[in-house]
Amino acid sequence: MHTLSFFRSAALVLVSSIVAPSAFSATLPPTPAPPTIEARSYILMDATDRAVLAELNADERLPPASTTKIMTSFLVEQELKAGKIKSTDLVTISVNAWRQGGSRMFVQEGTQVAVIDLLKGIIIQSGNDASVAMAEHMAGSEAAFADLMNFKAKELGMTNSNFLNSTGLPDPNHYSTARDLAILSQALVTQSASYYPLNKVRQFTFNNIVQHNRNLLLYRDPTVDGIKTGFTDAAGYCLVASALRNGTRLIAVVMGASSPGKRADAAQALLNYGFRFFETRTIYTAGQELQKLPMWFGEQDIIAVGVNQSVVMTIPRGQEKLITTQVVANKDIRGPIKKGQVLGKITVSFNGTVRNHIPLVALTDVKKAGFFKGVWQHIYLFFLGLFNK
């Protein structure tokens, strides 16, 4: 039977890897400063927990040019994922879509093009015509589609972005930031797994016209698998790049570089810096049992709790001693319990700064206690309450 002291407490707190940062400050290896980047703004972000590894003017509102199409493709992919549209659906190309200038897929007015081909045209060829065609197909007009873009931006936590079109063509009120584009790209990587591989395709042929992906890093670095370039006179040369090496995925956003080569060099330098001086550590694995907790009114008196997804963190190399976790379980756990039911939370910190909150969940089902056991425990709790008064 559970002890009285447990039920007098407000919650069960388990703390692991608690370290006083000052105790290791003298022995921790230093993390070098990030490289000097020739761009107006940049950010280097871990794709797992959005940890920022390097940044410059990351919240400055700037024209995003065709990196806007990351949001356009993301919305298309989410509709495909939800089954609201199909990859084989045919889209009728409007005059408005056909007349788009800038980079194009070269769709023809009045023809019908499959959604999957338009999606490839948006991602690989950076087609303004393909972007407008999909915007009109999904929302009726590009303006209405922009409303969807802004709604999704707010949902993702992109606090400094405003979209007026699906293409990134210049408008003073169409803007984003390096940080917001990194947040968007992190969502793309994690939520569009089925379609994300399109971002590393180097060329696409449509209407007998072969066009090549403008992301130079796809040709230089085999670990890079996306994501999008952009250019206008107002925006300069922009690049959102992502790479996966040894289980660590990083996202580099460069805005306002002076040439295609310099934006590629800048993104490459940021990625190399991140992979060289940071590492991803697995703190808990999916399904790992962290504790057995006492409970009431279940067929059994204890329940195993843990995490239903792996918990990882990207940190400076050699500084794993500064990771701390705190596991807080709910008080007075009562059956029945369903597997995956949240029974508390885990707070993960690095060097005293909270990096993530993860649900503490039941790892098994526990059925409701039988009648006699339930009645007995109700009586026990009644007298326990009188005793505590």
Side-chain angles (χ1 to χ4, degrees), residues 111-133:
T111 62
Q112 291 188 314
V113 182
V115 166
I116 189 62
D117 286 333
L118 289 172
L119 182 60
K120 291 176 182 178
I122 294 168
I123 295 172
I124 304 165
Q125 298 172 328
S126 195
N128 292 333
D129 49 0
S131 299
V132 172

Side-chain angles (χ1 to χ4, degrees), residues 30-333:
T31 301
T36 300
I37 300 299
E38 295 185 41
R40 186 169 177 179
S41 171
Y42 71 78
I43 195 168
L44 179 65
M45 180 180 285
D46 169 57
T48 302
D49 64 357
R50 295 187 182 180
V52 175
L53 310 184
E55 63 179 294
L56 175 71
N57 302 327
D59 295 310
E60 181 179 356
R61 293 178 176 180
L62 297 171
S66 284
T67 60
T68 295
K69 296 185 180 86
I70 300 173
M71 176 63 84
T72 303
S73 65
F74 180 63
L75 289 178
V76 174
E77 291 160 13
Q78 291 303 292
E79 291 287 282
L80 286 166
K81 183 179 176 181
K84 295 180 180 179
I85 59 175
K86 296 179 181 179
S87 62
T88 55
D89 287 348
L90 296 177
V91 177
T92 301
I93 306 303
S94 70
V95 174
N96 181 40
W98 172 66
R99 285 181 175 170
Q100 292 298 308
S103 57
R104 292 183 291 160
M105 180 182 170
F106 296 105
V107 293
Q108 299 298 310
E109 172 198 355
T111 62
Q112 291 188 314
V113 182
V115 166
I116 189 62
D117 286 333
L118 289 172
L119 182 60
K120 291 176 182 178
I122 294 168
I123 295 172
I124 304 165
Q125 298 172 328
S126 195
N128 292 333
D129 49 0
S131 299
V132 172
M134 279 307 310
E136 292 175 341
H137 180 69
M138 288 176 55
S141 69
E142 192 175 16
F145 186 78
D147 290 337
L148 297 179
M149 298 170 77
N150 289 318
F151 179 83
K152 178 58 71 173
K154 290 180 180 178
E155 187 176 77
L156 293 175
M158 300 169 62
T159 58
N160 284 298
S161 295
N162 188 60
F163 298 108
L164 295 182
N165 58 61
S166 62
T167 61
L169 290 173
D171 189 291
N173 291 316
H174 184 101
Y175 54 81
S176 189
T177 68
R179 190 183 312 277
D180 280 1
L181 289 174
I183 290 171
L184 170 60
S185 298
Q186 190 262 355
L188 180 82
V189 168
T190 57
Q191 297 180 34
S192 291
S194 296
Y195 298 96
Y196 180 73
L198 290 175
N199 290 274
K200 67 179 179 180
V201 177
R202 297 182 182 183
Q203 69 178 45
F204 177 54
T205 302
F206 182 81
N207 204 18
N208 294 319
I209 300 172
V210 180
Q211 295 193 68
H212 298 272
N213 197 313
R214 295 176 178 87
N215 184 355
L216 295 179
L217 295 189
L218 294 177
Y219 308 89
R220 295 183 183 177
D221 184 343
T223 69
V224 173
D225 54 15
I227 297 176
K228 192 74 191 71
T229 62
F231 169 76
T232 63
D233 289 338
Y237 291 88
C238 306
L239 174 59
V240 180
S242 183
L244 179 66
R245 299 182 194 174
N246 300 319
T248 297
R249 177 174 289 282
L250 300 180
I251 295 167
V253 180
V254 176
M255 304 184 74
S258 60
S259 72
K262 286 188 176 180
R263 72 182 173 190
D265 291 343
Q268 184 77 79
L270 286 171
L271 291 171
N272 288 343
Y273 167 77
F275 288 121
R276 172 64 181 85
F277 296 110
F278 294 82
E279 62 182 333
T280 299
R281 287 278 179 165
T282 299
I283 302 168
Y284 301 122
T285 58
Q288 180 180 345
E289 180 181 311
L290 301 183
Q291 184 73 9
K292 285 185 170 64
L293 302 178
M295 63 176 291
W296 294 103
F297 307 117
E299 278 190 344
Q300 59 196 54
D301 295 329
I302 58 172
I303 176 92
V305 294
V307 291
N308 56 14
Q309 61 184 18
S310 295
V311 179
V312 299
M313 179 186 292
T314 298
I315 61 170
R317 288 189 180 277
Q319 297 189 17
E320 64 276 6
K321 293 179 179 179
L322 296 185
I323 298 174
T324 62
T325 61
Q326 185 180 60
V327 183
V328 181
N330 297 344
K331 67 173 182 177
D332 199 11
I333 298 172

Side-chain angles (χ1 to χ4, degrees), residues 295-300 302-303 332-343 362 364-370 374 377-378:
M295 63 176 291
W296 294 103
F297 307 117
E299 278 190 344
Q300 59 196 54
I302 58 172
I303 176 92
D332 199 11
I333 298 172
R334 301 189 177 204
I337 299 292
K338 291 290 186 181
K339 182 179 179 180
Q341 184 173 329
V342 176
L343 299 177
T364 60
D365 293 328
V366 178
K367 294 182 180 180
K368 187 177 181 179
Q377 290 192 347
H378 273 295

